[in-house]
Every structure is written in C-alpha cells, then in structure tokens.
Amino acid sequence: MAGSWHVLGAGSLGTLWACRLWRAGLDVRLILRDDQRLAAYRAAGGLTLQAAPLTEQSPVPGETAAQGAPIQRLIVACKAYDARQAVAALAHRLAPGAEVILLQNGLGSADEVAAVLPGVRCIHASSTEGAYRPQPWHAVFAGHGFTWLGDPADPTPPAWLADLDQAGIPQQWTADILSRLWRKLALNCAINPLTVLHDCRNGELAQHPCEVASLCDELAQLLERCGQPAAAADLHAEVLRVIHATAQNFSSMHQDVALGRRTEISYLLGYACAAATRHRLALPHLQQLQRRLIGALQARGLPCD
Ligand code: NAD
Ligand code: KPL
C-alpha cells in the first residue's frame, strides 16, 4: 500500500518497527523529541537493529514534531506515561483520515491519547515481541513474538496491514483487542511487581506459589467484573506457563527499576487497582501488592505513578 509511515520514539520498539518497515522499502520517517536529539541522530547515521545473525543500520530519515509533511499513519512507540503529551505535540500534523497505532503496554494510555485526538482512529496493539536498547540508536531484537492489533470502536481491518506483512512483522487483526490487552495486563500484574519485590528473575516466582495463586485469583475476579471473561479463563495456568517459559528473564518492570527508570505502574497495577475500586471490588492481595510496590519505588527514589 502506498503512503508514508511515521514512527514516534527511537527507543527499543520504535527502532524495531522503523527498521523493519524501512528494510521492506516502505516510506518511513522517525520523529525525534527535539532539534538536539535530531542532530545526534543524524550524526549517528541511522538506526541500528541487531537481529541475529544480522546487525544492520537503516538510515531512516528523522524529523521533529515541528517540521515535516502531513502524517497519515503514526506508530506511537514511547512509554505509556509519555504518549498523551507526545501525540498532542503532533496533532497539528495529522492528515484528514490519519490513523494512530499505539504500542504501549497496559491500559489507560490509549484513552489519554484518544482524548487529545478527537475523531482520529486509534488502533491498539498488544505485542509479545521483545527488544532492548544497549546504546542510543541501537536496538537488539531479543524475543520473537506476535502482535495483535485492533480497534475497539471499529472491527474493520485497515488496508495497511499488507505493509506490515511486507515488512515481516508477525501480526493479526482482532475484533477483540481489549480482551488481549486485559489478559496481558493481568499477566504483567501477576508477574512484574513480584519480580521487583523479590528482586528476582521470572522463574524464581515458582518459589512463591501462594502469592502468585492469590494474585491470579483476584485478577481473574477483576477481569470477570470488568466484562472480560475470556481474558480471565485459565489465567493462573497461563501465568505459571509464562513464568516457566521466561524463567531466565528479568521482567520489563524489574529491568526499569534496576536501571533507575520510571516504571509503567500506573498503566498496569495502578490501572487494575483503580478498576477494582471503580467496581467496588475488594482485592486485598492486589491492593497490598500496589502498596508494597509503591514503597519499593519510593525507597529507590523512583516515581510512583
Ligand atoms: P523505550 O524507552 O526504549 O523508548 C521510548 C522512546 O520514546 C525513547 O527513545 C524516548 O526518548 C522516546 N520519546 C518519549 N517521548 C517522546 C516524544 N515526545 N517525542 C519523541 N520521542 C519520544 O521504550 P520501549 O521499550 O520501546 O517501550 C515503548 C512501549 O512499548 C512501552 O509502553 C512498553 O511497555 C511497550 N512494549 C515494549 C516492549 C519491548 O520489548 N521493549 C515489548 C512490548 C511492549
Ligand atoms: O511481558 C512481560 C514483561 O516482562 O513485561 C512478561 C514476560 C510477560 C512478564 O510479565
């Protein structure tokens, strides 16, 4: 499909998506935070993606929010807590009929983005791909996975999915993206905070079976109450499967805390606890987990939101 792509954010996922689109010969532009970052990016000569066995640099053209052609398709690849502000700065550049693809983990940031872009189609993504950034402008594709895409307001698949196929991005359109997002949120809530509190790899949670089981039970109650029974089905079994399958990994939240970076707590555990409160559902283990996690973040001088 002809037409350009813009990728906002040159971090791990932004690099992964921009490089694959670029290598497929598609017209893709990278949006950097400001002129200083743009100059540094240009000096580096492009984005480097390390995807075994190849490490390749892609000279994806860069620009800032202030300059550039109208945007037709925008991939938002910043953290959940940056998405609203980052997208608001680009609102004036969105072409009529523009579409925005949101890669953020968790729930809540898509609503924040939609509120600053009335009338713009916002497509949600839930991805199990994994990438990290050992240095600026360089990402390592560490975990092959799959991306679900969908629009809770409109089940019609967009024509540009063919571009993603051309770029070799494994994905599928789903009419029930909210169920996927809730399921991933529940998995992240059951695993990530405990890895921070026990300062451990995912696999070591097998030594805390009662804690994991109580959280899964409460998270399943929450999913049911929020109208997501499919996301609740067999949650505990899947959490145990993920703990086993990713036993050697540190969760994304553990990595953020270890590197002294802000976490996405508000869009994961914070979102879950707020939803429970809204539904007047008492979930004591989940709420205690939130208090303990906030305490651990405060003790390290990290933001609690
Ligand atoms: P990251 O921190 O590596 O990258 C975010 C980038 O966005 C940074 O380079 C930052 O400078 C940039 N940014 C922030 N505000 C900006 C702005 N206003 N203008 C331009 N750039 C801006 O984060 P990431 O790991 O790529 O994660 C992005 C999102 O994807 C998160 O919500 C994360 O949970 C989700 N996710 C990540 C992975 C992964 O493996 N990395 C997997 C699944 C989901
Ligand atoms: O997605 C994850 C993360 O680390 O963020 C897993 C591996 C599922 C652990 O919750």
Side-chain angles (χ1 to χ4, degrees), residues 99-124:
E99 288 163 296
V100 175
I101 298 119
L102 300 162
L103 299 184
Q104 288 61 49
N105 216 358
L107 282 161
S109 77
D111 293 337
E112 294 175 0
V113 167
V116 295
L117 297 181
V120 174
R121 190 179 196 194
C122 289
I123 287 161
H124 305 228

Side-chain angles (χ1 to χ4, degrees), residues 201-276:
R201 292 177 197 268
N202 294 352
E204 288 165 57
L205 295 186
Q207 291 159 29
H208 303 277
C210 297
E211 251 183 318
V212 172
S214 313
L215 287 174
C216 289
D217 178 54
E218 291 189 356
L219 284 161
Q221 288 180 49
L222 177 66
L223 294 173
E224 294 274 0
R225 185 69 73 93
C226 291
Q228 300 294 335
D234 299 324
L235 178 65
H236 187 209
E238 191 174 354
V239 166
L240 295 181
R241 189 192 61 73
V242 172
I243 286 174
H244 183 69
T246 62
Q248 293 309 312
N249 298 359
F250 285 108
S251 75
S252 53
M253 188 178 272
H254 186 284
Q255 291 176 46
D256 283 340
V257 170
L259 292 169
R261 290 191 304 225
R262 183 174 173 185
T263 69
E264 296 182 302
I265 178 177
S266 294
Y267 301 89
L268 297 166
L269 187 54
Y271 189 92
C273 288

